[in-house]
C-alpha cells in the first residue's frame, strides 16, 4: 500500500494555442489579473459580480417578506441589523471583536502548527520510500477518521480552553498539508537529484535546495484550503464547549432560534476567511517570485 495516490495529482497545464508566440499581444502578470483571462476589464467583472449579489439578496428579501417564513429563513435586512447590533452594542458574550479575536487566534495556532507538522512529515516521508510504505495504512486509517468528531474527545482531554480548539484545527490542517507536501516531495525531478549528488550534495543540502523548493507549489496550494479548515476546527471546537468565540455566538443563536444571528456569524467568519486567503495569496506570490514566468502561466495568474 502506498501513499502516492492519497491525493490526486493536478492535471498538467494546457497552453492555449492562441498564446503561442503572442507574449507581446496578451497581458501577463498583474495586467492579466486586472483584465482577466478573457481580456475583460476588472471593472466589468466586478460590476457583474455586484449585480449578482444585489439580485440574490433582493430576491431573498422579497421572498422572505412574501412567501417564506422569516422566522426560519431570516432576511438580509434582519441579518444586517444583527451585525450592526453586534458591532455597536456588543453581544451577550461580550464585544464582537473579542470573540473574533479568540476564534482567529485558535485558528492561527492550529494552522501554523498543523502546517509545520504536515510539511515536515510530508517531505520526510516523501523522500523515505520504505518508511512511507510501512506507515501508509496507519496514515490512511487516521485520515479516514471523521476528525470533526475528535473535537468532543479533545474537550475531554484538554478542557474547555483554547487547547482543545487548537487541537481540532491542527488535526484538520495537518492532513490537508501533509498529503500535498508528500506528493510534492515525490514529484521532484530525479535528474536534478542525481546531478546534485554527483556534485557532492548531502541529504540536508538536497532537501534544502531542491526538494523543498520543488514542493513549494504543492504546499502553498494546500495552505489556501488549510486555513479554512483551521477556522472550521476552531468554530466546531467552540460549538462543542467554550466561553467565547464565534462558534459560541452561532451556537447561542441556534439555541434561541435566531436565524439572523446564525447567518451573521457565518458572514463574519466568511470575511475572516477571505482576508486570510488574500494574505496567503500575497505570501505565495512572494515565495514563488523566483520562478520564471512563462506566457501561459502569467496569463492564468
Amino acid at each position: 500500500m502506498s501513499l502516492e495516490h492519497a491525493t490526486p495529482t493536478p492535471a498538467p497545464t494546457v497552453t492555449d494555442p492562441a498564446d503561442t508566440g503572442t507574449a507581446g499581444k496578451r497581458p501577463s502578470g498583474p495586467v492579466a489579473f486586472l483584465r482577466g483571462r478573457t481580456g475583460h476589464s476588472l471593472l466589468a467583472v466586478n460590476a457583474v459580480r455586484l449585480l449578482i449579489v444585489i439580485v440574490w439578496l433582493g430576491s431573498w428579501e422579497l421572498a422572505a417578506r412574501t412567501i417564506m417564513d422569516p422566522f426560519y429563513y431570516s432576511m438580509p435586512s434582519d441579518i444586517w441589523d444583527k451585525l450592526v447590533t453586534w458591532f455597536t452594542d456588543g453581544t451577550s458574550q461580550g464585544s464582537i471583536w473579542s470573540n473574533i479575536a479568540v476564534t482567529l487566534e485558535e485558528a492561527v495556532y492550529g494552522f501554523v502548527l498543523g502546517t509545520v507538522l504536515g510539511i515536515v512529515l510530508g517531505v520526510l516521508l516523501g523522500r523515505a520510500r520504505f518508511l512511507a510504505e510501512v506507515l501508509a495504512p496507519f496514515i490512511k486509517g487516521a485520515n479516514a477518521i471523521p476528525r470533526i468528531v475528535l473535537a468532543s474527545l479533545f474537550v475531554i482531554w484538554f478542557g474547555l480552553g483554547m487547547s482543545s480548539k487548537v487541537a481540532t484545527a491542527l488535526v484538520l490542517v495537518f492532513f490537508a498539508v501533509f498529503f500535498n507536501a508528500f506528493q510534492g516531495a515525490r514529484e521532484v525531478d530525479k535528474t536534478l537529484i542525481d546531478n546534485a549528488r554527483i556534485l557532492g550534495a548531502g541529504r540536508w543540502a538536497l532537501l534544502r535546495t531542491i526538494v523543498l523548493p520543488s514542493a513549494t507549489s504543492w504546499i502553498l496550494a494546500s495552505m489556501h484550503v488549510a486555513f479554512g479548515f483551521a477556522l472550521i476546527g476552531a468554530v466546531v471546537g467552540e460549538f462543542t464547549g467554550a466561553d467565547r468565540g464565534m462558534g459560541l455566538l452561532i451556537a447561542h443563536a441556534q439555541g434561541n432560534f435566531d436565524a439572523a444571528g446564525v447567518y451573521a456569524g457565518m458572514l463574519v467568519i466568511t470575511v475572516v476567511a477571505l482576508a486570510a486567503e488574500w494574505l496567503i495569496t500575497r505570501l505565495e506570490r512572494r515565495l514563488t517570485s523566483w520562478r520564471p514566468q512563462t506566457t501561459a502561466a502569467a496569463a492564468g495568474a
Side-chain angles (χ1 to χ4, degrees):
M1 184 179 293
S2 173
L3 287 172
E4 291 189 41
H5 303 294
T7 54
T9 302
T13 302
V14 179
T15 304
D16 189 342
D19 291 337
T20 306
T22 59
K25 297 180 181 180
R26 293 194 59 176
S28 62
V31 177
F33 175 77
L34 290 175
R35 291 190 60 83
R37 295 186 181 183
T38 59
H40 296 120
S41 69
L42 185 61
L43 180 62
V45 172
N46 285 334
V48 175
R49 290 172 177 169
L50 180 61
L51 179 62
I52 292 173
V53 172
I54 292 174
V55 171
W56 170 47
L57 295 179
S59 59
W60 182 4
E61 182 80 18
L62 180 62
R65 292 179 181 275
T66 55
I67 59 176
M68 294 192 314
D69 188 346
F71 178 80
Y72 296 105
Y73 301 101
S74 189
M75 61 180 69
S77 58
D78 287 345
I79 298 171
W80 175 255
D81 291 340
K82 178 64 68 173
L83 288 171
V84 170
T85 301
W86 280 358
F87 281 95
T88 56
D89 301 331
T91 71
S92 57
Q93 282 74 47
S95 168
I96 181 64
W97 295 110
S98 65
N99 286 279
I100 294 174
V102 168
T103 300
L104 188 58
E105 185 178 6
E106 295 163 352
V108 168
Y109 280 140
F111 173 74
V112 172
L113 293 175
T115 298
V116 171
L117 288 175
I119 292 173
V120 171
L121 293 180
V123 171
L124 291 179
L125 289 182
R127 304 308 305 168
R129 293 183 177 271
F130 177 76
L131 187 59
E133 292 292 334
V134 171
L135 298 179
F138 304 104
I139 295 174
K140 290 184 177 181
N143 184 47
I145 296 174
R147 292 182 290 280
I148 293 296
V149 180
L150 291 176
S152 301
L153 192 59
F154 290 149
V155 168
I156 296 175
W157 289 354
F158 305 120
L160 297 177
M162 183 177 295
S163 299
S164 58
K165 286 73 176 175
V166 172
T168 305
L170 185 155
V171 171
L172 290 176
V173 169
F174 170 78
F175 286 99
V177 176
F178 169 81
F179 285 116
N180 269 41
F182 176 87
Q183 195 65 32
R186 283 290 177 93
E187 294 293 326
V188 178
D189 190 347
K190 191 175 184 299
T191 303
L192 290 177
I193 298 291
D194 293 338
N195 289 340
R197 284 174 174 165
I198 291 174
L199 294 173
R203 178 170 298 183
W204 169 245
L206 287 173
L207 192 66
R208 180 173 52 86
T209 61
I210 296 179
V211 176
L212 280 177
S214 298
T216 298
S217 297
W218 291 79
I219 295 169
L220 290 174
S222 68
M223 289 171 63
H224 288 279
V225 180
F227 192 82
F229 286 161
L231 278 175
I232 292 172
V235 171
V236 169
E238 291 166 354
F239 254 92
T240 306
D243 55 359
R244 283 187 302 170
M246 293 306 302
L248 182 63
L249 289 182
I250 296 174
H252 280 193
Q254 176 192 8
N256 294 325
F257 295 96
D258 180 10
V262 174
Y263 282 118
M266 291 169 54
L267 184 58
V268 170
I269 294 170
T270 300
V271 171
V272 172
L274 290 176
E277 168 68 17
W278 179 80
L279 291 174
I280 293 173
T281 300
R282 295 293 297 266
L283 174 64
E284 180 179 12
R285 290 177 181 172
R286 292 184 68 88
L287 292 179
T288 58
S289 60
W290 56 270
R291 295 187 304 180
Q293 295 292 327
T294 61
T295 302

